[in-house]
Amino acid sequence: MVDEAFGNPRFAALYDPLDPDRGDLDAYVRIAGEFGARRVLDIGCGTGVFALLLADRGIEVVGVDPARASLDVARAKPGSERVRWICGDATSLPPLRVDLATMTGNVAQAIDDPEMWQQTLRGAHEALRPGGHLVLETRDPARRAWEEWNRDASYEVMEVPGVGAVEKWVQVIEVNGPLVTFRGTCVLVADGEVLTSHSTLRFRERAEVEADLTAHGFVVEEVRDAPDRPGRELVFLARRPEDGAS
């Protein structure tokens, strides 16, 4: 099920203007360079920011996302014709042999259903060529990031071209074990329209993610810190072994 923040056309159109600093993606661009990736699968590509960064560098990119409204935003951007956009998820991809598959921006956490998570890892493994890599990030549960997700800590007013002032904030609704549910709110000041979206994220421990990757045939090569969020994120680099290798 797609969150309103990504599936509602008006909400999706606000996603990039309300989150303009995507410096978090720089590390992934560098990783693509480290691996010499020429073909990349961007799982949960959203409005296409990362996919287009790679395409601008001459990389062949497939972007997949279940939110049609977000993909419509992506397709309207300059250079979007260089990316193959698929409305769906990693469980039903056409045959691919990519060098690198990615889940940036905590996409992995948004896959909160355990069975869908397992299917996503299976789909990523199948999409990779032997020797290809999967890179994903997740917030470190030990940092308890959700404790900062309240109106007082997150409230901002931002000016959006063509829209005007937009108030935004998030508020945690429930913490149930590894699942954290929160509500995002945007108020379009000019006309008073209120947009809300409910989201649930799963906070997985490092050992859990490593075990899941291993169970689906990956070799976990490294777990890094996110350079722009030290001590807050776990970045997993896993490899699909060459055929007959481990």
Side-chain angles (χ1 to χ4, degrees):
M1 192 169 177
V2 176
D3 295 344
E4 280 290 295
F6 311 112
N8 179 310
R10 194 156 199 196
F11 231 144
L14 291 171
Y15 186 85
D16 292 334
L18 294 180
D19 188 18
D21 181 7
R22 294 310 308 273
D24 60 298
L25 298 175
D26 294 345
Y28 289 91
V29 173
R30 290 194 295 270
I31 288 170
E34 280 181 46
F35 294 141
R38 304 309 306 160
R39 298 179 303 280
V40 175
L41 169 64
D42 185 12
I43 299 170
C45 64
T47 58
V49 177
F50 182 57
L52 290 169
L53 282 174
L54 295 180
D56 285 345
R57 289 160 171 77
I59 295 173
E60 181 183 327
V61 187
V62 176
V64 59
D65 199 285
R68 189 172 299 279
S70 293
L71 287 180
D72 286 344
V73 173
R75 289 188 176 107
K77 293 180 177 180
S80 64
E81 71 282 352
R82 296 197 297 266
V83 178
R84 180 182 179 185
W85 307 104
I86 298 175
C87 188
D89 54 47
T91 69
S92 55
L93 292 168
L96 300 171
R97 286 177 64 85
V98 298
D99 305 308
L100 176 66
T102 61
M103 285 186 255
T104 67
N106 296 297
V107 164
Q109 284 192 265
I111 307 171
D112 62 298
D113 178 73
E115 181 56 34
M116 179 58 73
W117 171 242
Q118 302 301 328
Q119 292 179 16
T120 299
L121 294 181
R122 189 177 305 124
H125 188 275
E126 292 174 356
L128 287 166
R129 64 166 176 78
H133 287 81
L134 169 65
V135 180
L136 63 92
E137 69 176 39
T138 184
R139 293 179 180 90
D140 185 349
R143 289 300 299 261
R144 302 176 66 85
W146 60 87
E147 293 181 347
E148 302 170 8
W149 299 350
N150 57 71
R151 193 183 194 281
D152 289 343
S154 62
Y155 179 84
E156 289 185 86
V157 181
M158 301 185 70
E159 199 69 27
V160 177
V163 175
V166 178
E167 299 176 284
K168 67 165 188 168
W169 67 91
V170 295
Q171 180 68 52
V172 168
I173 298 170
E174 182 182 19
V175 179
N176 182 12
L179 299 176
V180 177
T181 300
F182 62 95
R183 178 177 58 248
T185 301
C186 288
V187 179
L188 282 60
V189 175
D191 59 15
E193 182 177 2
V194 179
L195 302 171
T196 60
S197 175
H198 291 78
S199 304
T200 298
L201 301 181
R202 181 176 289 272
F203 283 74
R204 298 178 177 92
E205 299 287 348
R206 171 174 173 165
E208 178 185 358
V209 177
E210 291 180 320
D212 288 342
L213 288 167
T214 300
H216 287 282
F218 289 100
V219 175
V220 179
E221 295 188 327
E222 190 177 355
V223 181
R224 298 181 180 176
D225 208 9
D228 62 314
R229 290 152 289 165
R232 304 182 71 89
E233 303 273 342
L234 302 169
V235 181
F236 295 83
L237 285 73
R239 172 176 50 84
R240 173 178 173 171
E242 298 283 354
D243 291 339
S246 61

